[in-house]
Amino acid sequence: MAGSRWSATGTGTVLLGILVFALVLLSGPTGLGATSPTVPAIARAMPATADSPLPAPNLTIEPAVTWAFAGNATPLEAFWTAGGAECTVLPVWFHWFVGPGPVGGLFGEENSSIVNFTGATARSGTALVGVRSAAVLRCGNESDGLLSTAYGSVVEVAEVGIDDLTIGPMPLVGGDQANLSGRVEGGTPPYQVTVQWGDASEQTRTLTTPGLFGWPHLFRPGNYSVQVEVADSSGEVASAVLPQTLQVNASTAAAVTASTPVAEVGRPVLFTGVFAGLPPLARSRLSGCEETSVSGWGVPPELECDPASAGQIAVSLEVNAGAPWPVLTQTLLEPVAPALSVHVCPTTEEGEVDTPAFFDLRIAGGAPPFSLAWTFGEGTESGREVLAEDGTLLLEVQPNTTGFAPLALTVSDADGADVSVTNASLFVVPGLSIGGTVNSSVLPPSAEVELVAYVTGGVGPIAWVVLSSASFTSGDPPTGWLPGATGLRWSGSVSVEGTATVELVAVDAAGALANFSALAGLIPRLTGQLSVSALNASEGPGVLVTVNLSGGAPPLSVWINASGGASWNATDPSDGLFEATVPVVRAGPSSVSVAVVDRLGGRLSGVTFVIIPVPPDPPTPPAGSSDWTLGAGVLGLLFLGVTAALYLRFRRRPSPPPAAPDPEKVLEKILAPADGAERVTVELLAEEAGIPLETVRSTLTRLVATGKVRSEVSPDGEEVLAWSDPRPA
């Protein structure tokens, strides 16, 4: 196109010769035919952007908030919702994880849209669960990679229970005050604790947090079975009965005490028979565990048992002081818990540096509460914790070096049993990292973008997604899976001007996230230089418009308007330099506006001013003979006189203000010569011709309604207007 000369035809009128003098005065020192100042660059009125018009999808977890008893599986589902009816979202991968907080849990399947979450059973609380997902959003012929994270919460409720229920001091004599104590665990606070003392009386108190409770009670002589009931705020109820029936006499009493409220398999427990109100010569016998212990005179008997199985131990006491004292008997049912056992294993086969890792800790048996102490790695990390109940727990550690990292853990219970675990370890790999390059090749109306990346470290499989500020019309799928650390090559085609950010995001099986981004150069934005000059007076009133365009997506639509009603438009297949000659209606000052629109909607506009010279008078024919010399002189003087008179008359009489341009005629001049033009371009040109934008829009609406202007929608979604009035223009 460089060096070509474009021309357009038009009509105009010549001003009266009497205005020549005024035009010369207006032209000033530049003289006739002076060139207007060159506009350095055409300003972008409506720049094309890389922002995609696609709706914003949303990733959610259903249910967002739920609750479950600790240890029970809770189904969770993640799903995408699209923002438009014509768009579809195709999920590619999901990765579930547990957020920070005191309550953890495990997923049966981490890479599915539907999972079962099982919370830790060792404590109650709220577990924060999250899911990351990548998907492909398709709207028409455009597709985008999507990455989003959603969160939900699962309220884990350990079953409410009552432990270590005891009463003392023992033995009790009528009128003595007894102190009942116990411990509430699990459930959802606050708790209502109700004690039925067995004497037709009961008491209820509120416990705001789990833990110990206790209060006194005065017993009269009689036999009493004491029962405690606890109801939590969710309505769950637990109950427990005192291990032995209270036998309270007026002056004598007997009871069996144990060295611990709960015995444990493999841990010896000492039972003692106690009595009061009897003479020193009383003999007592304590039996249980298939053994019998007989005391001397007035000495409390003792019996040590080593439980071999979980359940109960029945230990009975008989005290005989002879007549007239009664024979006293009492039986204690001591609960026996299984031996303390601890199992530990990592939740993943591998961990990675600077990413939290978890060990699944399972405690069974033993006597609560439990004390935990551990070290991880080369002794660089340690921790302590107390658990009120046995069950499962996620132990979080932070790897900081590669290789095998051992975990040393010791669990101690209330009976003094210790279990140490030293055979648990985690193999730690380097952290997930991404590097790469982004290149692009431009062949308007599209640009081909290629991403070459290399993924190192991390725990496979690795999910990835390509995100961009531009929407791609074709290319490789924007998301997928890698088996582990490896290379990745991806390419896509995009029809956007300017630049776009291309980002690769990867999430590995350990939950680590890494990304790499770069700026890709796409189709150069449409830019240009504008120069306008008046034609020589001998060529008639007109302007020479020179536009030097670069960038953009061809074809380029060029529109030129000059004040006075002259207009011109054409379509060019490529950028470069072109010239156009545009006739104007009259000489004098004239504004010239230029608008350029490319295939992708990139727009430029510019306006400048120029003075159009008056064409010269036609030459005087030569005199035929000497007889015409005087006549010619007289006629010349007469012409000058008339000219001067008219000049003075017009100079003294001010010219009426110019009439406002007719909006319909202006729109006809813009639309009639063209096969069709985008509405935004038509509005821009009409506004530069002096028509207010509101008037332009209302006039176009009226002309479309009456059928004078035809309105259609182009394949790229733009409104295109064309003049369709059948009458001649």
Side-chain angles (χ1 to χ4, degrees), residues 130-428:
V131 61
R132 290 190 183 95
S133 178
V136 179
L137 174 64
R138 290 180 180 171
C139 295
N141 63 344
E142 292 186 345
S143 62
D144 283 310
L146 302 175
L147 177 65
S148 185
T149 303
Y151 290 94
S153 58
V154 179
V155 179
E156 292 291 326
V157 181
E159 291 188 9
V160 64
I162 305 172
D163 293 323
D164 301 342
L165 191 62
T166 59
I167 196 168
M170 301 295 283
L172 289 176
V173 178
D176 287 349
Q177 178 175 284
N179 296 307
L180 179 71
S181 64
R183 186 162 48 88
V184 175
E185 295 298 340
T188 305
Y191 309 91
Q192 295 294 317
V193 182
T194 301
V195 180
Q196 298 175 353
W197 296 104
D199 55 3
S201 67
E202 68 177 35
Q203 290 177 289
T204 299
R205 293 183 181 180
T206 299
L207 191 64
T208 58
T209 60
L212 295 175
F213 68 89
W215 58 74
H217 187 73
L218 188 65
F219 288 95
R220 297 180 182 276
N223 296 330
Y224 303 100
S225 176
V226 180
Q227 181 174 340
V228 179
E229 182 178 275
V230 175
D232 70 359
S233 59
S234 69
E236 296 300 317
V237 178
S239 61
V241 179
L242 203 65
Q244 59 183 321
T245 300
L246 290 179
Q247 295 180 350
V248 181
N249 297 320
S251 59
T252 61
V256 179
T257 64
S259 59
T260 178
V262 179
E264 181 179 342
V265 172
R267 302 286 300 178
V269 57
L270 180 64
F271 297 97
T272 303
V274 293
F275 50 88
L278 297 176
L281 298 178
R283 294 180 61 86
S284 57
R285 182 174 64 179
L286 197 62
S287 59
C289 307
E290 300 180 356
E291 296 183 16
T292 300
S293 172
V294 178
S295 70
W297 299 103
V299 178
E302 292 184 344
L303 181 67
E304 185 179 76
C305 295
D306 191 357
S309 61
Q312 289 181 333
I313 298 177
V315 179
S316 300
L317 172 66
E318 180 182 289
V319 182
N320 189 351
W325 288 276
V327 176
L328 303 179
T329 61
Q330 183 64 277
T331 299
L332 172 66
L333 299 178
E334 174 80 352
V336 179
L340 176 64
S341 64
V342 179
H343 176 75
V344 182
C345 67
T347 59
T348 57
E349 294 182 0
E350 294 178 328
E352 62 186 273
V353 173
D354 297 330
T355 298
F358 298 91
F359 284 86
D360 184 18
L361 171 62
R362 300 176 183 271
I363 300 175
F370 303 92
S371 298
L372 282 65
W374 71 89
T375 60
F376 177 71
E378 300 300 327
T380 56
E381 180 181 348
S382 61
R384 291 182 177 274
E385 190 166 352
V386 176
L387 295 179
E389 292 290 334
D390 60 353
T392 61
L393 178 72
L394 283 184
L395 191 64
E396 180 178 339
V397 295
Q398 187 77 29
N400 52 24
T401 58
T402 59
F404 281 98
L407 174 71
L409 171 71
T410 299
V411 178
S412 303
D413 70 359
D415 285 347
D418 295 327
V419 175
S420 296
V421 178
T422 59
N423 60 350
S425 64
L426 181 69
F427 184 72
V428 182

Side-chain angles (χ1 to χ4, degrees), residues 538-579:
S538 59
E539 300 180 73
V543 292
L544 175 63
V545 179
T546 303
V547 181
N548 189 4
L549 295 173
S550 63
L556 309 175
S557 298
V558 183
W559 301 76
I560 301 175
N561 264 13
S563 59
S567 63
W568 176 94
N569 70 83
T571 300
D572 193 69
S574 63
D575 59 359
L577 180 69
F578 75 85
E579 295 177 343

Side-chain angles (χ1 to χ4, degrees), residues 402-543:
T402 59
F404 281 98
L407 174 71
L409 171 71
T410 299
V411 178
S412 303
D413 70 359
D415 285 347
D418 295 327
V419 175
S420 296
V421 178
T422 59
N423 60 350
S425 64
L426 181 69
F427 184 72
V428 182
V429 301
L432 182 65
S433 177
I434 304 176
T437 59
V438 173
N439 300 304
S440 59
S441 57
V442 178
L443 184 62
S446 64
E448 190 76 15
V449 178
E450 183 181 53
L451 167 68
V452 179
Y454 44 90
V455 180
T456 60
V459 179
I462 299 173
W464 61 270
V465 60
V466 174
L467 307 175
S468 177
S469 57
S471 295
F472 288 85
T473 56
S474 63
D476 298 328
T479 181
W481 290 91
L482 296 175
T486 184
L488 172 66
R489 183 183 298 270
W490 178 89
S491 64
S493 180
V494 62
S495 295
V496 173
E497 296 177 12
T499 59
T501 301
V502 179
E503 181 181 16
L504 175 64
V505 181
V507 179
D508 68 3
L513 186 146
N515 71 311
F516 163 78
S517 65
L519 199 64
L522 307 179
I523 302 170
R525 293 190 183 276
L526 181 61
T527 59
Q529 301 287 330
L530 168 65
S531 176
V532 179
S533 61
L535 296 178
N536 293 327
S538 59
E539 300 180 73
V543 292

